[in-house]
Amino acid sequence: MKTVNVRDIRNRFSEIVDRNEELLILRRGVPVMKISPVSKEDLMKYYLSKAQEEAKKIGLSEEEGCSSRRVEKKR
């Protein structure tokens, strides 16, 4: 796990995040936070929860969402 201080995070956030590695954030030499890349499982859970939220908004039931039939858009 790499360590990085708060100042570096503030000044070079994009560059540091693009490395896609677990980081330990230090403030005055003391660990204050850990940042880790998103796992495929976490990413899948996120997208599934968003899909469920959108389905609720349009009134789609779970059964309708899981069915293999195609839903036609009204014109």
Side-chain angles (χ1 to χ4, degrees):
M1 179 182 327
K2 298 264 182 162
T3 60
V4 63
N5 64 42
V6 173
R7 180 182 296 149
D8 287 338
I9 286 288
R10 186 175 52 234
N11 295 335
R12 301 182 303 130
F13 185 77
S14 291
E15 176 188 334
I16 291 169
V17 170
D18 286 344
R19 294 182 199 159
N20 199 30
E21 60 189 355
E22 195 168 78
L23 300 171
L24 185 62
I25 312 302
L26 307 175
R27 176 179 281 149
R28 297 183 188 110
V30 178
V32 292
M33 184 179 289
K34 184 171 85 169
I35 298 177
S36 59
V38 176
S39 69
K40 288 181 182 180
E41 181 182 344
D42 289 338
L43 195 57
M44 186 62 104
K45 286 179 184 178
Y46 171 79
Y47 284 121
L48 286 173
S49 71
K50 290 296 180 187
Q52 288 171 338
E53 288 174 17
E54 291 301 314
K56 276 185 181 179
K57 285 181 187 176
I58 63 171
L60 188 65
S61 72
E62 192 171 324
E63 293 80 26
E64 291 171 319
C66 293
S67 72
S68 60
R69 68 186 172 121
R70 187 172 168 196
V71 178
E72 296 292 327
K73 290 185 177 181
K74 294 181 181 179
R75 293 181 186 196

